[in-house]
Amino acid sequence: MSLITFRSSTQGSVIMFGDNAKQLLAAMALPESGEMTTAELTAKIALLKAAIDADKTHNAIVWPEEPDDDIDQEQPIIIHFSQRAAPMLQLMERCLAAAETIRWPA
C-alpha cells in the first residue's frame, strides 16, 4: 500500500494512503503528481469543500456514545471521505493564507 505526502515548505504536510489520496485528488480534478499554487488554492478549496459536504450528506458520521463498550469494539470503524479530507483542507487553507505552494509526488 503506497503513501502520498502533500508538502508545503513552511505549513507542514499531510500523509495519506495512495487510494485515499487519489480519491481526494479526483475530487479536485488534480493529477496524481503535481502542485497547487496559491492562485489555484481558492478554487481547489471550494471543490474540496463541496466534495466534503456531499460526502457528509451521504455518510453521516456516528460516534459511539461509549467507546469502551464491548459491542462498540466489535463494530468496524468506518472513516469517511469527509474525515480523511479534513487535514488536507486545513493544509490548503494555511497555505492560501501564507501564499505557499503544495507539492506531491506520485
Side-chain angles (χ1 to χ4, degrees), residues 3-38:
L3 296 174
I4 295 180
T5 303
F6 298 90
R7 289 188 172 92
S8 160
S9 58
T10 63
Q11 299 303 309
S13 61
V14 172
I15 301 170
M16 300 182 86
F17 287 113
D19 291 343
N20 300 128
K22 288 177 186 176
Q23 182 184 15
L24 184 133
L25 290 168
M28 295 186 288
L30 289 167
E32 289 186 23
S33 179
E35 66 179 27
M36 276 185 279
T37 63
T38 305

Side-chain angles (χ1 to χ4, degrees), residues 19-60:
D19 291 343
N20 300 128
K22 288 177 186 176
Q23 182 184 15
L24 184 133
L25 290 168
M28 295 186 288
L30 289 167
E32 289 186 23
S33 179
E35 66 179 27
M36 276 185 279
T37 63
T38 305
E40 298 173 298
L41 280 171
T42 300
K44 298 304 181 184
I45 287 170
L47 287 173
L48 185 55
K49 283 183 177 181
I52 288 170
D53 290 342
D55 183 68
K56 285 181 178 179
T57 300
H58 298 322
N59 299 305

Side-chain angles (χ1 to χ4, degrees), residues 65-85:
E65 291 184 25
E66 296 179 22
D68 294 331
D69 189 352
D70 290 338
I71 296 171
D72 291 332
Q73 291 177 5
E74 294 174 10
Q75 297 295 322
I77 297 173
I78 299 172
I79 307 298
H80 297 290
F81 174 83
S82 59
Q83 294 166 290
R84 293 182 193 282

